[in-house]
Amino acid sequence: MEMEIMTFGFNFETTYRQLSPHFYTETEPEKSSSPEMLLFNTGLALSLGLEASALNSPEGAEVLSGNKIVGETPIAMAYAGHQFGSFTRLGDGRAVLLGEHVHAGQRYDIQLKGSGRTKYSRSGDGRAPLGPMLREYVVSEAMHALRIPTTRSLAVTLTGDTVRRETMQKSAVLTRVASSHLRAGTFQYAIIESEEAAKELADYAIERHYPDFADKENKYELFLEAVVHAQSYLIAKWQSIGFIHGVMNTDNMAISGETIDYGPCAFMDYYDPKTVYSSIDVQGRYQFRNQPGIAQWNLAKFAETLLPLLNENQEKAIEIAQEKLDNYKDLYQAYWLSDMVNKIGIPTPEESDVALVLDLLEIMEEEALDYTSTFRALSLGNIESIKVKDEEKLNGWLSRWKSALGEKDQSLEDAHMLMINTNPAVIPRNHLVEEALFYAEKTDDLSKVKKLVEVLETPFDDSHDEYYKRPPNEEEMIRNTFCGT
Protein backbone atom coordinates (compact mmCIF):
# COMPACT_ATOMS: atom_id res chain seq x y z
CA MET A 1 0.00 0.00 0.00
CA GLU A 2 2.89 2.33 0.82
CA MET A 3 4.35 1.82 -2.66
CA GLU A 4 0.98 2.55 -4.33
CA ILE A 5 0.62 5.84 -2.47
CA MET A 6 4.20 6.83 -3.27
CA THR A 7 3.65 6.29 -7.01
CA PHE A 8 0.09 7.72 -6.96
CA GLY A 9 -1.02 4.77 -9.09
CA PHE A 10 1.28 5.56 -11.99
CA ASN A 11 2.22 2.39 -13.85
CA PHE A 12 5.02 3.52 -16.13
CA GLU A 13 6.33 1.26 -18.88
CA THR A 14 8.09 3.58 -21.31
CA THR A 15 8.61 1.74 -24.56
CA TYR A 16 9.86 4.88 -26.33
CA ARG A 17 13.11 4.49 -24.39
CA GLN A 18 13.74 1.27 -26.35
CA LEU A 19 14.29 3.31 -29.54
CA SER A 20 17.75 4.42 -30.59
CA PRO A 21 19.18 7.16 -28.33
CA HIS A 22 19.05 9.84 -31.04
CA PHE A 23 15.23 9.91 -30.70
CA TYR A 24 15.34 11.39 -27.18
CA THR A 25 17.50 12.76 -24.40
CA GLU A 26 17.15 11.96 -20.71
CA THR A 27 16.27 15.26 -19.05
CA GLU A 28 15.67 16.23 -15.44
CA PRO A 29 12.93 18.87 -15.10
CA GLU A 30 13.99 22.16 -13.57
CA LYS A 31 13.18 22.40 -9.89
CA SER A 32 10.23 24.53 -8.83
CA SER A 33 10.71 26.69 -5.77
CA SER A 34 7.22 26.19 -4.31
CA PRO A 35 4.93 24.02 -6.44
CA GLU A 36 1.20 24.41 -5.91
CA MET A 37 -1.65 22.47 -7.54
CA LEU A 38 -3.96 24.97 -9.25
CA LEU A 39 -6.20 22.78 -11.40
CA PHE A 40 -6.65 19.05 -11.12
CA ASN A 41 -8.77 16.84 -13.36
CA THR A 42 -10.24 14.31 -10.93
CA GLY A 43 -12.40 12.61 -13.57
CA LEU A 44 -9.45 12.03 -15.90
CA ALA A 45 -7.26 10.83 -13.03
CA LEU A 46 -9.85 8.26 -11.99
CA SER A 47 -10.32 7.08 -15.59
CA LEU A 48 -6.57 6.47 -15.72
CA GLY A 49 -6.67 4.39 -12.54
CA LEU A 50 -4.67 6.96 -10.58
CA GLU A 51 -4.99 7.74 -6.88
CA ALA A 52 -6.80 10.99 -7.51
CA SER A 53 -7.13 12.23 -3.93
CA ALA A 54 -3.49 11.46 -3.16
CA LEU A 55 -2.25 13.08 -6.39
CA ASN A 56 -4.32 16.23 -5.84
CA SER A 57 -2.14 17.26 -2.92
CA PRO A 58 1.10 19.07 -2.08
CA GLU A 59 2.93 15.77 -2.55
CA GLY A 60 1.28 15.33 -5.95
CA ALA A 61 2.27 18.86 -6.90
CA GLU A 62 5.90 17.87 -6.26
CA VAL A 63 5.53 15.12 -8.88
CA LEU A 64 3.51 17.10 -11.44
CA SER A 65 5.90 20.03 -11.23
CA GLY A 66 8.88 17.74 -11.86
CA ASN A 67 10.45 18.16 -8.44
CA LYS A 68 10.10 14.48 -7.61
CA ILE A 69 10.40 11.71 -10.19
CA VAL A 70 8.23 8.60 -10.21
CA GLY A 71 10.07 5.90 -12.11
CA GLU A 72 12.91 6.46 -14.57
CA THR A 73 14.47 9.79 -15.55
CA PRO A 74 12.07 11.66 -17.88
CA ILE A 75 12.95 12.17 -21.54
CA ALA A 76 12.70 15.03 -24.02
CA MET A 77 11.76 13.83 -27.50
CA ALA A 78 13.50 14.89 -30.69
CA TYR A 79 11.54 15.84 -33.79
CA ALA A 80 11.62 18.21 -36.75
CA GLY A 81 8.92 20.02 -38.65
CA HIS A 82 7.73 22.51 -41.20
CA GLN A 83 6.85 25.68 -39.30
CA PHE A 84 4.80 27.99 -41.52
CA GLY A 85 6.24 26.08 -44.47
CA SER A 86 9.92 26.24 -43.46
CA PHE A 87 11.72 23.08 -42.35
CA THR A 88 13.72 23.02 -39.13
CA ARG A 89 15.03 20.60 -36.51
CA LEU A 90 13.07 20.82 -33.27
CA GLY A 91 12.32 18.79 -30.17
CA ASP A 92 10.69 19.15 -26.78
CA GLY A 93 12.10 22.54 -25.85
CA ARG A 94 10.02 22.96 -22.71
CA ALA A 95 8.54 19.54 -22.03
CA VAL A 96 9.53 16.11 -20.80
CA LEU A 97 7.83 12.75 -20.97
CA LEU A 98 7.39 11.40 -17.44
CA GLY A 99 6.54 8.01 -18.89
CA GLU A 100 3.93 5.84 -20.57
CA HIS A 101 1.23 5.00 -18.07
CA VAL A 102 -0.46 1.65 -18.75
CA HIS A 103 -4.01 1.14 -17.50
CA ALA A 104 -6.71 -1.34 -18.55
CA GLY A 105 -4.70 -2.41 -21.58
CA GLN A 106 -4.25 1.17 -22.84
CA ARG A 107 -1.05 3.18 -22.99
CA TYR A 108 -0.96 6.93 -22.24
CA ASP A 109 1.90 9.40 -22.48
CA ILE A 110 2.15 11.55 -19.36
CA GLN A 111 4.05 14.71 -20.24
CA LEU A 112 5.04 17.78 -18.24
CA LYS A 113 4.83 20.92 -20.39
CA GLY A 114 6.64 24.00 -19.11
CA SER A 115 9.06 21.96 -17.04
CA GLY A 116 12.22 23.81 -18.08
CA ARG A 117 14.90 23.90 -20.75
CA THR A 118 16.15 20.82 -22.59
CA LYS A 119 18.77 19.96 -25.18
CA TYR A 120 16.28 21.03 -27.84
CA SER A 121 15.36 24.42 -26.37
CA ARG A 122 15.44 27.56 -28.46
CA SER A 123 14.82 31.17 -27.40
CA GLY A 124 11.58 31.44 -25.44
CA ASP A 125 11.62 27.75 -24.54
CA GLY A 126 11.91 26.27 -21.07
CA ARG A 127 9.47 27.47 -18.48
CA ALA A 128 5.94 28.35 -19.59
CA PRO A 129 3.74 31.25 -18.48
CA LEU A 130 0.65 30.43 -16.42
CA GLY A 131 -1.84 31.79 -18.96
CA PRO A 132 -1.05 29.47 -21.89
CA MET A 133 -1.00 26.43 -19.60
CA LEU A 134 -4.45 27.33 -18.25
CA ARG A 135 -5.63 27.94 -21.83
CA GLU A 136 -4.57 24.46 -22.93
CA TYR A 137 -6.29 22.90 -19.92
CA VAL A 138 -9.56 24.76 -20.60
CA VAL A 139 -9.66 24.27 -24.37
CA SER A 140 -8.40 20.67 -24.52
CA GLU A 141 -10.95 19.54 -21.94
CA ALA A 142 -13.68 21.44 -23.79
CA MET A 143 -12.68 19.69 -27.02
CA HIS A 144 -12.96 16.35 -25.26
CA ALA A 145 -16.47 17.23 -24.08
CA LEU A 146 -17.31 18.23 -27.67
CA ARG A 147 -16.33 14.70 -28.75
CA ILE A 148 -13.33 15.83 -30.78
CA PRO A 149 -10.15 13.69 -30.60
CA THR A 150 -7.69 15.50 -28.40
CA THR A 151 -4.88 15.29 -25.92
CA ARG A 152 -6.15 15.79 -22.36
CA SER A 153 -5.08 17.89 -19.39
CA LEU A 154 -4.56 16.29 -16.01
CA ALA A 155 -3.30 19.25 -13.99
CA VAL A 156 -1.82 22.74 -13.93
CA THR A 157 0.81 23.27 -11.26
CA LEU A 158 2.16 26.69 -10.30
CA THR A 159 5.95 26.61 -9.88
CA GLY A 160 6.41 29.58 -7.57
CA ASP A 161 8.86 31.02 -10.11
CA THR A 162 8.65 33.51 -12.97
CA VAL A 163 9.38 33.47 -16.68
CA ARG A 164 10.21 36.45 -18.90
CA ARG A 165 8.01 37.29 -21.84
CA GLU A 166 7.13 40.95 -22.52
CA THR A 167 7.05 41.19 -18.72
CA MET A 168 7.90 38.81 -15.90
CA GLN A 169 5.06 36.30 -15.53
CA LYS A 170 4.23 33.46 -13.19
CA SER A 171 5.30 30.10 -14.57
CA ALA A 172 3.32 26.88 -14.48
CA VAL A 173 3.52 23.27 -15.62
CA LEU A 174 0.75 21.52 -17.52
CA THR A 175 0.43 17.75 -17.20
CA ARG A 176 -0.69 16.52 -20.62
CA VAL A 177 -2.10 13.08 -21.41
CA ALA A 178 -1.91 11.70 -24.96
CA SER A 179 -2.17 8.36 -26.68
CA SER A 180 1.35 9.28 -27.82
CA HIS A 181 3.41 12.31 -28.77
CA LEU A 182 4.45 10.86 -32.12
CA ARG A 183 4.15 13.64 -34.68
CA ALA A 184 4.54 13.93 -38.43
CA GLY A 185 7.62 15.91 -37.42
CA THR A 186 9.00 12.94 -35.49
CA PHE A 187 9.09 11.02 -38.77
CA GLN A 188 10.64 13.98 -40.55
CA TYR A 189 13.39 13.93 -37.94
CA ALA A 190 13.85 10.16 -38.39
CA ILE A 191 14.21 10.21 -42.17
CA ILE A 192 16.92 12.88 -42.09
CA GLU A 193 18.79 10.65 -39.63
CA SER A 194 18.56 7.58 -41.88
CA GLU A 195 16.19 5.19 -43.60
CA GLU A 196 16.90 2.73 -40.79
CA ALA A 197 15.73 5.29 -38.24
CA ALA A 198 12.55 5.88 -40.23
CA LYS A 199 11.88 2.14 -40.33
CA GLU A 200 12.57 1.81 -36.59
CA LEU A 201 10.12 4.61 -35.80
CA ALA A 202 7.45 3.35 -38.19
CA ASP A 203 7.64 -0.16 -36.74
CA TYR A 204 7.31 1.32 -33.26
CA ALA A 205 4.34 3.50 -34.24
CA ILE A 206 2.55 0.59 -35.90
CA GLU A 207 3.09 -1.67 -32.89
CA ARG A 208 1.81 1.05 -30.58
CA HIS A 209 -1.13 2.46 -32.53
CA TYR A 210 -2.04 -0.13 -35.16
CA PRO A 211 -0.80 -3.51 -33.87
CA ASP A 212 -3.15 -5.37 -36.23
CA PHE A 213 -0.92 -4.19 -39.10
CA ALA A 214 2.35 -5.40 -37.55
CA ASP A 215 2.44 -8.77 -39.35
CA LYS A 216 1.05 -7.53 -42.66
CA GLU A 217 3.29 -7.47 -45.69
CA ASN A 218 2.00 -4.02 -46.66
CA LYS A 219 1.99 -2.65 -43.10
CA TYR A 220 3.58 0.71 -44.00
CA GLU A 221 0.98 1.30 -46.68
CA LEU A 222 -1.78 0.47 -44.18
CA PHE A 223 -0.13 2.75 -41.63
CA LEU A 224 -0.14 5.71 -44.02
CA GLU A 225 -3.74 4.97 -44.92
CA ALA A 226 -4.74 4.91 -41.24
CA VAL A 227 -3.06 8.25 -40.52
CA VAL A 228 -4.78 9.83 -43.54
CA HIS A 229 -8.12 8.54 -42.22
CA ALA A 230 -7.44 9.85 -38.70
CA GLN A 231 -6.48 13.32 -39.93
CA SER A 232 -9.39 13.66 -42.35
CA TYR A 233 -11.78 12.77 -39.52
CA LEU A 234 -10.13 15.22 -37.11
CA ILE A 235 -10.05 18.21 -39.46
CA ALA A 236 -13.69 17.65 -40.42
CA LYS A 237 -14.54 17.82 -36.72
CA TRP A 238 -12.60 21.08 -36.35
CA GLN A 239 -14.39 22.64 -39.31
CA SER A 240 -17.82 21.54 -38.11
CA ILE A 241 -17.34 23.17 -34.71
CA GLY A 242 -15.61 26.35 -35.92
CA PHE A 243 -12.26 25.57 -34.28
CA ILE A 244 -9.08 27.20 -35.59
CA HIS A 245 -5.84 25.56 -34.47
CA GLY A 246 -3.64 28.52 -35.30
CA VAL A 247 -0.31 26.69 -35.76
CA MET A 248 -0.82 23.67 -38.04
CA ASN A 249 2.88 22.96 -38.41
CA THR A 250 3.89 19.36 -39.14
CA ASP A 251 5.32 19.09 -35.63
CA ASN A 252 1.80 19.81 -34.35
CA MET A 253 0.19 16.95 -36.30
CA ALA A 254 -0.09 13.85 -34.10
CA ILE A 255 -0.25 10.61 -36.06
CA SER A 256 -2.86 9.39 -33.57
CA GLY A 257 -5.34 11.90 -34.96
CA GLU A 258 -5.58 13.80 -31.67
CA THR A 259 -5.58 17.58 -31.52
CA ILE A 260 -2.26 18.58 -29.97
CA ASP A 261 -0.56 21.82 -28.85
CA TYR A 262 -3.16 24.45 -28.03
CA GLY A 263 -1.22 27.64 -28.60
CA PRO A 264 -2.93 30.55 -30.38
CA CYS A 265 -6.07 28.51 -31.00
CA ALA A 266 -9.59 29.93 -30.96
CA PHE A 267 -13.21 29.32 -31.93
CA MET A 268 -14.91 31.45 -34.57
CA ASP A 269 -17.54 33.88 -33.40
CA TYR A 270 -19.22 35.30 -36.51
CA TYR A 271 -18.79 33.04 -39.53
CA ASP A 272 -15.96 34.09 -41.81
CA PRO A 273 -13.89 31.40 -43.60
CA LYS A 274 -10.93 33.81 -43.76
CA THR A 275 -10.70 34.04 -39.97
CA VAL A 276 -7.19 34.04 -38.49
CA TYR A 277 -6.55 34.44 -34.76
CA SER A 278 -2.86 33.66 -34.37
CA SER A 279 -0.83 36.85 -34.00
CA ILE A 280 2.13 35.19 -35.73
CA ASP A 281 0.17 33.98 -38.79
CA VAL A 282 0.55 37.25 -40.66
CA GLN A 283 0.04 35.62 -44.09
CA GLY A 284 -3.11 33.76 -43.05
CA ARG A 285 -1.59 30.36 -43.83
CA TYR A 286 -3.67 28.62 -41.16
CA GLN A 287 -6.93 30.54 -41.54
CA PHE A 288 -10.13 28.57 -41.03
CA ARG A 289 -10.80 27.80 -44.71
CA ASN A 290 -7.21 26.61 -45.27
CA GLN A 291 -7.16 23.96 -42.54
CA PRO A 292 -8.34 21.03 -44.72
CA GLY A 293 -5.75 21.79 -47.40
CA ILE A 294 -2.96 22.35 -44.88
CA ALA A 295 -3.72 18.97 -43.31
CA GLN A 296 -3.30 17.34 -46.73
CA TRP A 297 -0.01 19.23 -47.22
CA ASN A 298 1.21 18.01 -43.82
CA LEU A 299 0.19 14.46 -44.72
CA ALA A 300 2.20 14.72 -47.93
CA LYS A 301 5.27 15.64 -45.88
CA PHE A 302 4.57 12.69 -43.60
CA ALA A 303 4.17 10.36 -46.61
CA GLU A 304 7.56 11.47 -47.94
CA THR A 305 9.21 10.04 -44.82
CA LEU A 306 7.70 6.61 -45.55
CA LEU A 307 8.66 6.38 -49.22
CA PRO A 308 11.67 4.07 -48.68
CA LEU A 309 9.41 1.72 -46.71
CA LEU A 310 6.49 1.67 -49.14
CA ASN A 311 8.50 0.17 -52.00
CA GLU A 312 12.13 -0.31 -53.01
CA ASN A 313 11.27 1.25 -56.37
CA GLN A 314 10.92 4.99 -55.73
CA GLU A 315 8.45 5.55 -58.56
CA LYS A 316 6.24 2.75 -57.23
CA ALA A 317 6.56 4.13 -53.69
CA ILE A 318 5.48 7.59 -54.86
CA GLU A 319 2.55 6.04 -56.70
CA ILE A 320 1.40 4.24 -53.53
CA ALA A 321 1.79 7.38 -51.40
CA GLN A 322 -0.03 9.53 -53.94
CA GLU A 323 -2.94 7.10 -54.06
CA LYS A 324 -3.35 7.31 -50.27
CA LEU A 325 -3.03 11.09 -50.29
CA ASP A 326 -5.55 11.39 -53.10
CA ASN A 327 -8.05 9.60 -50.87
CA TYR A 328 -7.81 12.37 -48.29
CA LYS A 329 -10.05 14.80 -50.14
CA ASP A 330 -12.89 12.30 -50.53
CA LEU A 331 -12.52 11.08 -46.94
CA TYR A 332 -12.49 14.61 -45.57
CA GLN A 333 -15.48 15.60 -47.69
CA ALA A 334 -17.46 12.57 -46.50
CA TYR A 335 -16.66 13.21 -42.82
CA TRP A 336 -17.34 16.95 -43.16
CA LEU A 337 -20.65 16.45 -44.94
CA SER A 338 -21.76 13.89 -42.37
CA ASP A 339 -20.98 16.31 -39.55
CA MET A 340 -22.56 19.30 -41.27
CA VAL A 341 -25.84 17.61 -42.20
CA ASN A 342 -26.12 16.39 -38.61
CA LYS A 343 -25.93 20.06 -37.63
CA ILE A 344 -29.11 20.67 -39.64
CA GLY A 345 -30.86 17.54 -38.39
CA ILE A 346 -30.18 15.12 -41.24
CA PRO A 347 -28.75 11.80 -39.98
CA THR A 348 -27.44 10.39 -43.27
CA PRO A 349 -26.08 12.71 -45.97
CA GLU A 350 -26.87 12.62 -49.66
CA GLU A 351 -25.12 14.53 -52.43
CA SER A 352 -28.08 16.89 -52.71
CA ASP A 353 -27.49 18.03 -49.13
CA VAL A 354 -24.19 19.72 -50.03
CA ALA A 355 -25.94 22.74 -51.55
CA LEU A 356 -28.22 23.03 -48.54
CA VAL A 357 -25.22 23.23 -46.18
CA LEU A 358 -23.20 25.60 -48.39
CA ASP A 359 -26.15 27.93 -48.89
CA LEU A 360 -26.66 28.22 -45.14
CA LEU A 361 -22.97 28.98 -44.64
CA GLU A 362 -23.22 31.63 -47.37
CA ILE A 363 -26.08 33.31 -45.51
CA MET A 364 -24.11 33.17 -42.27
CA GLU A 365 -21.09 34.75 -43.93
CA GLU A 366 -23.07 37.48 -45.70
CA GLU A 367 -24.96 38.35 -42.52
CA ALA A 368 -21.93 37.94 -40.20
CA LEU A 369 -23.94 35.54 -38.03
CA ASP A 370 -22.41 33.90 -35.00
CA TYR A 371 -21.47 30.35 -35.97
CA THR A 372 -22.30 28.56 -32.73
CA SER A 373 -25.44 30.44 -31.66
CA THR A 374 -26.97 30.31 -35.16
CA PHE A 375 -26.80 26.52 -35.28
CA ARG A 376 -28.05 26.32 -31.69
CA ALA A 377 -30.99 28.61 -32.51
CA LEU A 378 -31.91 26.36 -35.44
CA SER A 379 -31.64 23.36 -33.12
CA LEU A 380 -34.10 24.85 -30.66
CA GLY A 381 -36.44 26.24 -33.30
CA ASN A 382 -35.67 29.82 -32.20
CA ILE A 383 -35.66 31.17 -35.74
CA GLU A 384 -36.79 34.63 -34.61
CA SER A 385 -33.50 35.06 -32.70
CA ILE A 386 -31.52 34.85 -35.97
CA LYS A 387 -31.39 38.51 -37.01
CA VAL A 388 -30.69 39.06 -40.70
CA LYS A 389 -31.05 41.90 -43.20
CA ASP A 390 -32.21 39.62 -46.03
CA GLU A 391 -35.12 37.81 -44.37
CA GLU A 392 -36.39 36.55 -47.73
CA LYS A 393 -33.18 34.63 -48.37
CA LEU A 394 -33.18 33.06 -44.91
CA ASN A 395 -36.87 32.14 -45.18
CA GLY A 396 -36.22 30.61 -48.58
CA TRP A 397 -33.49 28.44 -47.08
CA LEU A 398 -35.71 27.41 -44.15
CA SER A 399 -38.41 26.36 -46.61
CA ARG A 400 -35.94 24.26 -48.62
CA TRP A 401 -34.60 22.74 -45.41
CA LYS A 402 -38.03 21.65 -44.21
CA SER A 403 -38.82 20.25 -47.66
CA ALA A 404 -35.58 18.26 -47.59
CA LEU A 405 -36.51 16.82 -44.19
CA GLY A 406 -39.93 15.87 -45.53
CA GLU A 407 -38.46 14.14 -48.56
CA LYS A 408 -36.34 12.05 -46.20
CA ASP A 409 -39.35 11.22 -44.00
CA GLN A 410 -37.55 13.06 -41.22
CA SER A 411 -39.83 14.78 -38.71
CA LEU A 412 -38.93 18.26 -37.49
CA GLU A 413 -38.97 16.91 -33.91
CA ASP A 414 -36.41 14.20 -34.73
CA ALA A 415 -34.31 16.75 -36.60
CA HIS A 416 -34.28 19.07 -33.60
CA MET A 417 -33.30 16.21 -31.29
CA LEU A 418 -30.29 15.34 -33.48
CA MET A 419 -29.32 19.00 -33.76
CA ILE A 420 -29.52 19.63 -30.01
CA ASN A 421 -27.07 16.76 -29.47
CA THR A 422 -24.78 18.00 -32.27
CA ASN A 423 -24.69 21.80 -31.95
CA PRO A 424 -23.26 22.97 -28.61
CA ALA A 425 -24.90 25.63 -26.50
CA VAL A 426 -21.52 26.63 -25.07
CA ILE A 427 -17.97 26.61 -26.43
CA PRO A 428 -14.73 28.10 -25.06
CA ARG A 429 -15.57 31.52 -26.43
CA ASN A 430 -12.43 33.56 -26.81
CA HIS A 431 -13.56 36.51 -24.69
CA LEU A 432 -14.60 34.19 -21.85
CA VAL A 433 -11.29 32.32 -21.93
CA GLU A 434 -9.26 35.54 -22.01
CA GLU A 435 -11.28 37.09 -19.19
CA ALA A 436 -10.86 34.00 -16.99
CA LEU A 437 -7.12 33.80 -17.69
CA PHE A 438 -6.59 37.52 -17.05
CA TYR A 439 -8.45 37.25 -13.75
CA ALA A 440 -6.38 34.22 -12.70
CA GLU A 441 -3.05 35.81 -13.63
CA LYS A 442 -3.75 39.18 -12.01
CA THR A 443 -5.59 38.15 -8.84
CA ASP A 444 -4.45 34.57 -8.13
CA ASP A 445 -8.16 33.68 -8.12
CA LEU A 446 -9.02 30.68 -10.30
CA SER A 447 -12.75 30.81 -9.65
CA LYS A 448 -13.56 32.08 -13.17
CA VAL A 449 -11.32 29.43 -14.77
CA LYS A 450 -12.83 26.65 -12.66
CA LYS A 451 -16.38 27.79 -13.41
CA LEU A 452 -15.62 27.92 -17.14
CA VAL A 453 -14.15 24.40 -17.02
CA GLU A 454 -17.27 23.20 -15.21
CA VAL A 455 -19.62 24.78 -17.76
CA LEU A 456 -17.67 23.40 -20.72
CA GLU A 457 -17.93 19.85 -19.37
CA THR A 458 -21.58 19.80 -20.56
CA PRO A 459 -21.55 21.77 -23.82
CA PHE A 460 -24.95 20.56 -25.08
CA ASP A 461 -26.81 21.60 -21.92
CA ASP A 462 -29.06 24.63 -22.46
CA SER A 463 -29.46 25.40 -18.76
CA HIS A 464 -26.17 27.30 -18.52
CA ASP A 465 -26.29 31.00 -17.75
CA GLU A 466 -26.72 33.26 -20.78
CA TYR A 467 -23.33 34.77 -19.93
CA TYR A 468 -21.64 31.60 -21.23
CA LYS A 469 -23.86 31.18 -24.29
CA ARG A 470 -24.10 34.60 -25.87
CA PRO A 471 -21.70 35.84 -28.57
CA PRO A 472 -19.30 38.63 -27.60
CA ASN A 473 -20.24 42.28 -27.92
CA GLU A 474 -18.14 44.33 -30.32
CA GLU A 475 -15.92 45.59 -27.49
CA GLU A 476 -15.43 42.02 -26.22
CA MET A 477 -14.23 40.58 -29.53
CA ILE A 478 -10.83 38.86 -29.42
CA ARG A 479 -9.05 39.22 -32.77
CA ASN A 480 -5.54 38.03 -31.84
CA THR A 481 -4.30 35.13 -29.76
CA PHE A 482 -0.72 34.43 -28.77
CA CYS A 483 1.43 31.37 -28.23
CA GLY A 484 3.26 30.86 -24.95
CA THR A 485 6.82 31.25 -26.28
Side-chain angles (χ1 to χ4, degrees), residues 49-204:
L50 300 177
E51 295 286 340
S53 58
L55 192 55
N56 186 17
S57 67
E59 293 77 14
E62 291 285 336
V63 172
L64 298 187
S65 67
N67 274 8
K68 292 185 178 178
I69 305 302
V70 176
E72 298 178 283
T73 303
I75 59 175
M77 301 167 72
Y79 49 86
H82 278 87
Q83 299 198 315
F84 292 90
S86 298
F87 185 77
T88 185
R89 282 177 175 262
L90 299 159
D92 288 330
R94 57 173 177 168
V96 294
L97 182 69
L98 280 188
E100 296 160 22
H101 171 67
V102 180
H103 174 66
Q106 298 294 314
R107 183 176 299 274
Y108 306 90
D109 274 10
I110 309 294
Q111 184 193 69
L112 299 185
K113 183 175 179 179
S115 55
R117 293 185 66 81
T118 76
K119 173 185 175 181
Y120 313 108
S121 295
R122 298 178 297 168
S123 60
D125 279 338
R127 286 298 195 190
L130 172 60
M133 299 302 95
L134 291 175
R135 172 188 285 272
E136 179 153 347
Y137 187 107
V138 171
V139 181
S140 65
E141 287 306 298
M143 291 283 273
H144 173 71
L146 288 165
R147 304 189 289 263
I148 298 174
T150 180
T151 57
R152 302 284 306 276
S153 295
L154 180 62
V156 174
T157 309
L158 200 64
T159 66
D161 305 306
T162 57
V163 58
R164 178 174 291 281
R165 291 299 180 259
E166 289 80 7
T167 59
M168 296 304 292
Q169 300 178 31
K170 298 169 188 174
S171 75
V173 178
L174 173 83
T175 305
R176 181 160 67 190
V177 180
S179 61
S180 85
H181 284 82
L182 294 173
R183 311 158 187 259
T186 318
F187 285 82
Q188 291 180 289
Y189 169 85
I191 195 64
I192 60 175
E193 286 290 312
S194 66
E195 289 184 10
E196 291 75 17
K199 182 179 185 303
E200 181 183 10
L201 184 64
D203 287 342
Y204 173 79

Side-chain angles (χ1 to χ4, degrees), residues 203-307:
D203 287 342
Y204 173 79
I206 291 169
E207 189 63 46
R208 180 159 179 177
H209 286 287
Y210 306 103
D212 290 346
F213 300 165
D215 296 327
K216 304 288 187 183
E217 188 176 341
N218 61 338
K219 63 181 179 179
Y220 303 116
E221 183 177 338
L222 293 171
F223 175 46
L224 174 57
E225 188 175 86
V227 175
V228 170
H229 267 85
Q231 287 298 316
S232 60
Y233 177 84
L234 176 65
I235 306 304
K237 289 292 181 189
W238 287 3
Q239 298 297 107
S240 74
I241 210 72
F243 174 76
I244 302 171
H245 186 281
V247 196
M248 286 182 67
N249 299 328
T250 54
D251 55 291
N252 289 339
M253 190 191 92
I255 63 157
S256 62
E258 293 176 331
T259 311
I260 190 171
D261 284 337
Y262 292 89
C265 62
F267 286 75
M268 270 198 304
D269 291 309
Y270 63 88
Y271 180 71
D272 180 0
K274 300 184 296 298
T275 301
V276 178
Y277 283 111
S278 173
S279 62
I280 58 177
D281 191 4
V282 293
Q283 301 298 324
R285 177 181 174 88
Y286 299 139
Q287 60 188 270
F288 180 74
R289 66 180 176 184
N290 286 355
Q291 290 186 143
I294 289 294
Q296 188 173 29
W297 190 90
N298 288 348
L299 284 166
K301 296 303 174 186
F302 171 67
E304 287 174 3
T305 71
L306 300 181
L307 288 177

